[in-house]
Amino acid sequence: MYIYPRIVMFFGQSPGHWSRLHPGSCFSVQKLRRIKNTKTKTDKLLNDHTSLIVLMLNQTDATLTSFIFRGIPGLEDMHIWISFPFCSMYVVAIVGNCGLLYLIRYEDSLHRSMYYFLAMLSLTDIVMCTSSIPKALCIFWFHLQEISFNECLVQMFFTHTFTGMESGVLMLMALDLYVAICYPLHYATILTNPVIVKGGLATFLRAVFLIIPLIFLTKRLPYCRGNIIHHTYCDQLSVAKLSCGNIKANVVYGLMAAFLIGGFDILCITISYTMILSSADARQKAFSTCTAHICAIVFSYSPAFFCFFFNRFGSHRIPPSCHVIVANLYLLLPPTMNPIVYGVKTKQIRDCVLRSLSGSKDTNPLST
C-alpha cells in the first residue's frame, strides 16, 4: 500500500518535486539525471543502429537489376487508346523510310549528294524510333513493363546517340543546300562521295563519343529510390532521378553534350540559311528548294526544345503526362513526317514513286 502511491507520484510529478522529498526517498534528483543520461545514450545507440540498417538497405537497393516502366503517368487507363496513333505513326515511319532507302538505292536519278544525306536521315530515323517505340507498345498492349538495367543502358545509348545523329544530318543537309544554291557550278566537285562519307561518319562518331560518357555516368550511380520509371523508355534524366547519389555530373555533362550537338548544329544551320538568303538570286531558289528541309527542322527541333526546357525549368508547371507524350513524339514525329514531306515536296522522289507504281522503266533524270 505504500509503494504503489510512490510509483504513481513518480510518474505524475516533475523532477523539481523530488528535490523537496526526504533524502531517504527511493528517488532523488541525481538518480533522475542518471536515468536521463542513460536514456540519451540508449537513443543515440538506437539511432546509430537504425542508420546502419538504412545504409545496408540502400546498398542492397543500389545494385538494381531491372527497372519498371509506368508508361504515361496519370493516363494508365488510356494506354490502349494512346497506342493506336503511336503504332500507326511507327508503321508509317518504317514503311516510308524503308521506301526512301529503296528508291535511293535503285534509282540512278537519285544518286546525288542531297539524296545520300536523305538516306542517312532515313536510316537514323528508323533506328531512333525502333529503339523505343516497340517497347512502349509492349507496355501499352501486354503490360511488359520490366527492363533489365543493362538493357536500359543500351536503349539509352541508341536513343540519345541517334537523336544527336539526326541533328547532325540536318546540319549536313543545310550545308549541302548552301553549296547547291550558292555554288551550283562547283557542287559536284565540292561534295564528292568521299566527302559525304566522311561527313556522315564524323557526325556519327561525334554523337557516339559524347553519349558514351553519359551512359557510364548513369551506370556508376547508386540507386536506392526504387526502380519505377514514370516513362516509356530509358531517358537519361528519368533514370538518374532514381539515384540517391549526386547527379550533378550527369546534369552538367548532359547540358554540355546538348550544347555541343544541338547548339553547334543550329548555329551551322542558321549561318547556312543566312548566307543563302543574303543573295537575291539564291533567295528565289531557296523557297522552292529548302521547304522540305525547313519542315524537317521544325519537326525535329520543336519537341526537342520542349523536352529540354521541361527537364530543366518546367517540371513543376507542366503535367508529367504531357512531357512523356511529347518525348515520344520527339522520337516518332520526324521519322513519320520526313518521308511524307520529302516525297511530296521533292519532284524527283515524287516522280520516282509514280514511275515505280506504274511499272515504267524510264530512269532519265528529271529536274527538281
Side-chain angles (χ1 to χ4, degrees), residues 82-317:
I82 297 173
S83 67
F84 290 119
F86 276 37
C87 181
S88 301
M89 294 175 71
Y90 180 66
V91 171
V92 171
I94 296 299
V95 173
N97 285 288
C98 288
L100 274 180
L101 290 173
Y102 176 84
L103 286 176
I104 295 170
R105 169 65 179 84
Y106 291 103
E107 289 289 340
D108 293 336
S109 61
L110 302 181
H111 290 176
R112 295 170 53 190
S113 61
M114 170 186 175
Y115 302 106
Y116 292 151
F117 288 128
L118 182 57
M120 291 183 196
L121 186 65
S122 294
L123 185 60
T124 301
D125 285 340
I126 290 173
V127 179
M128 184 175 71
C129 64
T130 303
S131 64
S132 60
I133 300 304
K135 180 62 180 178
L137 294 177
C138 288
I139 296 170
F140 296 155
W141 289 341
F142 310 113
H143 304 287
L144 300 177
Q145 300 173 314
E146 188 173 4
I147 186 172
S148 70
F149 185 76
N150 291 329
E151 289 174 350
C152 181
L153 294 179
V154 171
Q155 185 189 57
M156 188 186 304
F157 170 78
F158 278 98
T159 301
H160 291 300
T161 296
F162 282 89
T163 52
M165 178 73 179
E166 168 136 346
S167 176
V169 174
L170 289 174
M171 180 265 295
L172 293 177
M173 296 176 77
L175 297 177
D176 172 77
L177 287 171
Y178 165 69
V179 175
I181 294 174
C182 296
Y183 301 97
L185 299 179
H186 303 283
Y187 181 75
T189 57
I190 295 175
L191 290 174
T192 60
N193 288 343
V195 171
I196 295 170
V197 172
K198 290 177 183 177
L201 184 61
T203 303
F204 174 71
L205 292 178
R206 179 193 66 169
V208 170
F209 288 142
L210 285 175
I211 297 302
I212 283 180
L214 193 61
I215 304 302
F216 280 103
L217 287 174
T218 306
K219 182 178 176 62
R220 69 168 180 84
L221 291 173
Y223 294 93
C224 54
R225 293 181 179 174
N227 65 337
I228 306 298
I229 300 177
H230 296 282
H231 215 301
T232 58
Y233 63 89
C234 288
D235 175 67
Q236 186 268 143
L237 274 181
S238 299
V239 175
K241 288 177 181 178
L242 297 178
S243 171
C244 53
N246 188 358
I247 64 171
K248 185 176 180 180
N250 294 65
V251 174
V252 172
Y253 186 84
L255 285 171
M256 185 185 72
F259 281 116
L260 288 176
I261 295 176
F264 176 79
D265 294 341
I266 292 173
L267 178 63
C268 291
I269 292 171
T270 303
I271 293 174
S272 298
Y273 274 99
T274 300
M275 298 181 73
I276 290 172
L277 297 176
S278 62
S279 172
D281 295 335
R283 195 179 302 124
Q284 294 179 356
K285 293 181 181 179
F287 288 113
S288 60
T289 307
C290 303
T291 306
H293 183 252
I294 293 173
C295 291
I297 292 173
V298 172
F299 292 140
S300 180
Y301 284 112
S302 297
F305 282 137
F306 177 89
C307 294
F308 177 82
F309 287 110
F310 174 87
N311 284 328
R312 271 75 189 179
F313 310 110
S315 57
H316 301 294
R317 301 178 183 178

